[in-house]
Amino acid sequence: MLDVWSLKVLVEVGRLGSFSAAAEELSMTQPAVSRQIATLERHTGVRLFERLPRGVRPTDAGRAALEQADEVLRGLRLFETRMRAFATAEAGRVRVSAFPSAATSYLPDRFRSFAARHPDVELSLTVRSGEHDPCAAVLDGETDIALLTSWDMGGPSGTAGMPGVALTPLHEDELLVALAVSHPLAKRSRVRLRDLAADPWIDGTHPDCLGPIAQLAAALGRAPRISHVCDDWNGRQGLVAAGVGVMLYPSIAGYSTARPDIRLLRPSPPLPSRTILAATLPPTDRPPAVSAFLSTLTSLPTDPVR
């Protein structure tokens, strides 16, 4: 079988037209180059170069061999370049899954920042909610990075401490209250939750929902009266803007994505924040591009809530 070095010698001899010049270029002796070409000729069964008084000239077979060898070497260089790119996070793909409120501004901002620095890495986003198990999706190879909240921790799916999954905290998610601008309490700087006890509430699927917050019911003085359940993030804001209910608004959704006809107010008393985490394979098991995107998630500041 031909080896790569033999092809390199062949190409250099053809390029320079001389065994001695090729030997100098390759840091070899002239006899070693001559033997390498002779071995190639015996292996292929054809004469590759005409020996001239001053140098060598490729035969027809030699020209065909040079063309083919050059193509093989270019392919090998491309192979090495692409593999180095994967090893240095300059190529590959990163599949991200998240819940709806994280996909409004938090992830798009980070996608834009990452793509500017790693333009050849393919990014994809899948938005999920409900009973989806983010850690199982990572372990099963369905996704590379899955966003989840501390509300998932210790649930029936066993997210907390799931073997083979690394959890990285990303963001402390403050919970606000969204009211229509026409709501009687909308002009306040804060809203006392007890004053919303009689209001209908709009819920959604996990984790963009009212959540397992006993403090909400305690602050209201009763369990929230849920009048609408809507999975769509824009649809929920539309219901609030229409004045048919109020909702919790996680800060990860970003102030800039709130409709202009709703108001975001901090509740009194404050509701406990939830932690946003990224589930990935451990560092030794994930591709460099995934680790690079995780670094973007942890380094870029969030959209502040006014």
Side-chain angles (χ1 to χ4, degrees), residues 118-133:
H118 304 275
D120 294 323
V121 176
E122 177 187 347
L123 292 171
S124 65
L125 172 64
T126 301
V127 178
R128 296 187 173 101
S129 58
E131 299 302 317
H132 171 69
D133 188 333

Side-chain angles (χ1 to χ4, degrees), residues 16 71 207-208 267 302:
L16 297 172
E71 185 176 331
D208 285 330
T302 55

Side-chain angles (χ1 to χ4, degrees), residues 99 147-155 159-160 171-173 206-207 212 272-277:
F99 45 92
L147 266 59
L148 63 152
T149 78
S150 53
W151 291 356
D152 294 287
M153 307 301 287
T159 290
H171 171 68
E172 283 303 310
D173 201 22
H206 181 84
S273 64
R274 61 182 187 174
T275 303
I276 308 300
L277 306 106

Side-chain angles (χ1 to χ4, degrees), residues 11-292:
V11 168
E12 286 304 310
V13 171
R15 182 174 70 88
L16 297 172
S18 164
F19 287 167
S20 56
E24 184 176 351
E25 181 72 19
L26 296 169
S27 300
M28 297 173 66
T29 64
Q30 189 272 344
V33 170
S34 180
R35 285 194 300 270
Q36 193 82 57
I37 296 301
T39 300
L40 271 175
E41 290 177 329
R42 284 195 302 271
H43 182 84
T44 58
V46 294
R47 194 163 186 79
L48 299 175
F49 292 98
E50 295 178 13
R51 278 63 170 175
L52 306 174
R54 304 181 71 174
V56 294
R57 180 173 59 208
T59 63
D60 289 344
R63 282 189 286 273
L66 286 167
E67 182 180 335
Q68 192 68 43
D70 193 52
E71 185 176 331
V72 169
L73 293 175
R74 277 201 309 270
L76 287 172
R77 287 193 294 271
L78 177 60
F79 173 84
E80 292 173 348
T81 299
R82 292 188 68 182
M83 293 306 100
R84 281 197 299 270
F86 278 96
T88 56
E90 295 306 319
R93 65 173 181 171
V94 180
R95 298 164 298 165
V96 183
S97 69
F99 45 92
S101 62
T104 54
S105 67
Y106 180 83
L107 279 175
D109 287 347
R110 282 146 186 80
F111 272 41
R112 179 173 59 246
S113 175
F114 182 83
R117 288 178 289 126
H118 304 275
D120 294 323
V121 176
E122 177 187 347
L123 292 171
S124 65
L125 172 64
T126 301
V127 178
R128 296 187 173 101
S129 58
E131 299 302 317
H132 171 69
D133 188 333
C135 289
V138 170
L139 283 176
D140 292 343
E142 296 176 9
T143 189
D144 299 306
I145 297 182
L147 266 59
L148 63 152
T149 78
S150 53
W151 291 356
D152 294 287
M153 307 301 287
S157 64
T159 290
M162 180 177 283
V165 175
L167 295 176
T168 303
L170 301 177
H171 171 68
E172 283 303 310
D173 201 22
E174 181 183 4
L175 296 176
L176 311 168
V177 176
L179 311 175
V181 293
S182 58
H183 194 285
L185 304 178
K187 293 184 179 180
R188 297 185 181 184
S189 58
R190 290 180 176 267
V191 60
R192 192 172 65 169
L193 287 170
R194 187 167 294 274
D195 293 338
L196 298 174
D199 282 73
W201 285 76
I202 301 165
D203 204 0
T205 53
H206 181 84
D208 285 330
C209 56
L210 296 181
I213 303 179
Q215 291 91 329
L216 175 60
L220 290 172
R222 52 165 292 174
R225 181 168 63 88
I226 298 173
S227 59
H228 302 279
V229 177
C230 181
D231 297 344
D232 179 74
W233 184 250
N234 291 325
R236 291 174 67 196
Q237 289 198 54
L239 290 170
V240 172
V244 299
V246 300
M247 65 180 266
L248 291 184
Y249 190 102
S251 64
I252 195 172
Y255 189 93
S256 61
T257 65
R259 287 176 54 130
D261 46 3
I262 70 174
R263 284 288 310 279
L264 302 180
L265 301 177
R266 287 188 167 89
S268 178
L271 294 171
S273 64
R274 61 182 187 174
T275 303
I276 308 300
L277 306 106
T280 63
L281 293 177
T284 54
D285 296 333
R286 62 185 181 236
V290 175
S291 294

